[in-house]
């Protein structure tokens, strides 16, 4: 079914095809949703509603992978509260309600992007890396080596995979922003695409600006409707306008949201 006022958006119960724990409290969920698989662009998200229990509010989750042939979409999410805990308990064959695809994704016209991600921000970037078909490199950061389980997912999708950890247990010791200037100086990147903790994205956007490279950031805000109707995800942009992360984003040009 499409939504009456949003004919391009699908709302439907979708069968869980697979659910797997990738790392402590981080899950990979695959659901059957052929219409959304056909429409979803890298950087877009869906709102999931658990059908059992008293869950009225949906939970926003970025699209991590799409398989058009199988008609499936996948998500990678961390259990942080009761909604994601209930999501993690879904078994193959059970149903979850999916609304999407929502928001605006990343620009796809660039030839050599550098992806910079941290934490669960790497999830929508995984779909972007796949959609760029080997043209992108990735720089990812985590607190410890365990948090960099992501590198195994990006390895086949990207040319180079640069790694940092806060404690030096894998890759270069430090933050993504520690090594980013050198990577930008050595490479010929035409865009930096970033998602992760806001402090990281602000640092990444500043360094990209200093190197004269456009930067796209994917923001995360608490959401209710996900459709631009309730104002709960409003932000102030640098030119003084109010924008909604769910409808105008979640991907924005960095200069529009970070001064
Ligand atoms: C556009 C978008 C895409 C997202 N994509 C992913 C994804 O791919 N993978 C993933 O793991 N998570 C993602 N999130 C975050 C995810 O939606 C929240 O973690 C989830 O809604 C928490 O639900 P809960 O019921 O488990 O937690 P709650 O019980 O509602 O909250 C538990 C804790 O999580 C915090 N929290 C809840 N929602 C958010 C939020 N939106 N931003 C920051 N903190 C929050 C709360 O403040 C609280 O501390 C995304 C959020 C947005 C807005
Ligand atoms: S979540 Fe309702 S306007 Fe964005």
């Amino acid at each position: 079914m499409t939504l009456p006022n949003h004919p391009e958006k699908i709302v439907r119960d979708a069968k869980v095809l697979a659910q797997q724990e990738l790392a402590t409290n981080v899950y990979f969920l695959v659901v059957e949703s052929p219409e959304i698989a056909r429409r979803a662009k890298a950087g877009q998200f869906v709102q999931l509603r658990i059908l059992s229990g008293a869950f009225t509010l949906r939970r926003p989750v970025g699209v991590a992978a799409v398989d058009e042939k199988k008609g499936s979409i996948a998500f990678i999410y961390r259990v942080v509260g009761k909604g994601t805990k209930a999501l993690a308990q879904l078994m193959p064959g059970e149903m979850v309600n999916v609304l999407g695809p929502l928001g605006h994704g990343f620009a796809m016209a660039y030839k050599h992007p550098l992806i910079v991600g941290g934490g669960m921000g790497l999830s929508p970037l995984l779909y972007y890396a796949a959609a760029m078909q080997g043209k992108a490199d990735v720089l990812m950061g985590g607190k410890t080596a365990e948090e960099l389980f992501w590198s195994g997912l990006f390895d086949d999708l990207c040319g180079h995979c640069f790694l940092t950890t806060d404690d030096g247990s894998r890759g270069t010791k430090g933050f993504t922003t520690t090594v980013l200037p050198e990577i930008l100086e050595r490479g010929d990147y035409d865009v930096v695409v970033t998602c992760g903790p806001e402090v990281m994205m602000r640092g990444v956007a500043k360094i990209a600006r200093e190197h004269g490279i456009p930067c796209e950031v994917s923001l995360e805000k608490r959401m209710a409707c996900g459709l631009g109707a309730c104002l709960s995800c409003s932000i102030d942009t640098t030119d003084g306008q109010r924008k909604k992360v769910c409808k105008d984003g979640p991907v924005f040009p960095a200069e529009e949201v970070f001064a």
Side-chain angles (χ1 to χ4, degrees), residues 91-103:
M91 302 293 285
E94 292 188 290
M95 307 297 274
V96 61
N97 189 270
V98 186
L99 164 65
L102 301 171

Side-chain angles (χ1 to χ4, degrees), residues 7-29:
E8 73 290 2
K9 296 182 178 42
I10 307 292
V11 59
R12 161 145 319 169
D13 290 350
K15 194 202 287 178
V16 173
L17 299 177
Q19 169 98 274
Q20 183 196 344
E21 191 169 9
L22 291 180
T24 310
N25 281 331
V26 176
Y27 289 81
F28 180 69
L29 172 70

Side-chain angles (χ1 to χ4, degrees), residues 59-62 76-78 80-84 123 220-222:
R59 273 27 178 211
V61 192
I76 302 177
Y77 63 94
R78 183 185 295 282
V80 295
K82 58 182 187 323
T84 43
S123 177
E220 205 181 281
K221 275 268 159 191
R222 297 227 56 172

